[in-house]
Amino acid sequence: RTIGDRIGEAKASGNLGNTLKILGQFDEAVVCCQRHLDISREQGDKVGEARALYNIGNVYHAKGKHLSWNTAQDPGHLPQEVKDTLQKASEYYERNLSLVKELGDRAAQGRAYGNLGNTQYLLGNFSEAIAFHKERLAIAKEFGDKAAERRAYSNLGNAHIFLGRFDISAEYYRKTLQLSRQLRDQAVEAQACYSLGNTCTLLQDYEKAIEYHLRHLVIAQELGDR
């Protein structure tokens, strides 16, 4: 501010916003991220504007998740305050998405699709969540981003469960399991086995369910995860 560097001020405000979000000070975080957005627009900085929109989406997303922790309810059955907050997150992600499309930034589009999928899932809009996660998956494959691909499969599995499509869920969870082994991520492998165990139970394939739950148990013991 002292040297009149508006772009610098915008970036600093954005960083402050992100830090306040991590500290759980969501309302202050929004104010800082909004300043980042306003200055970026004033300066005609499209990249900064896109980043600010994404960051505001993240603040509302984090706030929504934080509020929903106190209500141990299934996606879609949330108090109005939580729904409103997640809806706001979704709106900012949508605005970010249309701007990064304009800028041709595929990696940023991938991030926006993933977060839109997650917010729609929490809101109980499972078909919309699936559409977004499929877009996320396509971009992850484009970039050879195995970790993002793994997350997309896992999210697709979760959303199909709520639509009662257990066989499709099992397919996605198997892909999650395969990738977690490729990535040598044992915690994620255990999680995938747990999801597969539950899904096989829903499909009444109890033998397979036992196999997956035993694998989950073995890994949990190996990791010393009580």
Side-chain angles (χ1 to χ4, degrees):
R1 277 181 181 159
T2 309
I3 61 172
D5 175 1
R6 292 293 276 168
I7 296 273
E9 185 184 339
K11 281 184 185 166
S13 299
N15 288 337
L16 257 175
N18 290 339
T19 310
L20 288 163
K21 176 196 76 178
I22 294 165
L23 291 169
Q25 296 172 28
F26 304 114
D27 298 337
E28 294 94 322
V30 170
V31 173
C32 293
C33 291
Q34 186 64 49
R35 192 183 306 129
H36 183 194
L37 181 63
D38 295 340
I39 298 172
S40 299
R41 280 185 177 149
E42 163 210 304
Q43 297 292 317
D45 174 8
K46 292 281 195 191
V47 173
E49 186 183 338
R51 201 159 287 160
L53 288 167
Y54 182 74
N55 288 342
I56 298 174
N58 281 346
V59 175
Y60 282 119
H61 195 172
K63 184 183 180 180
K65 282 201 286 195
H66 178 77
L67 291 170
S68 70
W69 283 336
N70 308 325
T71 65
Q73 280 169 316
D74 279 341
H77 302 278
L78 298 166
Q80 198 54 47
E81 185 193 2
V82 181
K83 280 186 183 170
D84 293 344
T85 306
L86 291 169
Q87 200 50 58
K88 269 186 187 163
S90 212
E91 282 159 22
Y92 278 101
Y93 287 141
E94 289 273 14
R95 285 158 69 185
N96 163 262
L97 180 61
S98 67
L99 191 49
V100 293
K101 275 182 175 172
E102 202 182 298
L103 293 166
D105 185 342
R106 286 294 278 168
Q109 286 170 46
R111 288 192 290 275
Y113 280 126
N115 283 331
L116 276 163
N118 291 335
T119 48
Q120 290 305 310
Y121 172 81
L122 290 172
L123 286 164
N125 304 328
F126 303 114
S127 299
E128 289 90 334
I130 286 166
F132 286 129
H133 284 309
K134 280 184 172 168
E135 294 284 356
R136 176 67 192 110
L137 179 62
I139 295 173
K141 284 180 171 175
E142 222 173 274
F143 281 88
D145 184 343
K146 294 287 185 193
E149 192 183 329
R150 198 272 309 152
R151 286 195 300 275
Y153 282 135
S154 186
N155 289 328
L156 283 162
N158 295 343
H160 278 94
I161 287 280
F162 282 96
L163 293 176
R165 298 178 190 153
F166 306 136
D167 47 344
I168 299 174
S169 284
E171 231 6 84
Y172 282 124
Y173 288 142
R174 277 191 201 99
K175 288 180 170 164
T176 307
L177 181 59
Q178 215 177 335
L179 276 172
S180 65
R181 284 177 177 158
Q182 269 183 40
L183 293 162
R184 293 195 167 84
D185 187 334
Q186 277 205 299
V188 173
E189 184 183 337
Q191 207 180 329
C193 288
Y194 177 76
S195 299
L196 272 164
N198 290 340
T199 310
C200 287
T201 300
L202 293 169
L203 288 165
Q204 298 184 343
D205 184 349
Y206 303 117
E207 291 298 321
K208 267 270 175 261
I210 289 168
E211 249 175 70
Y212 285 122
H213 284 310
L214 279 171
R215 178 77 194 124
H216 174 218
L217 178 63
V218 169
I219 299 173
Q221 286 169 340
E222 276 174 21
L223 296 175
D225 182 341
R226 302 284 286 172

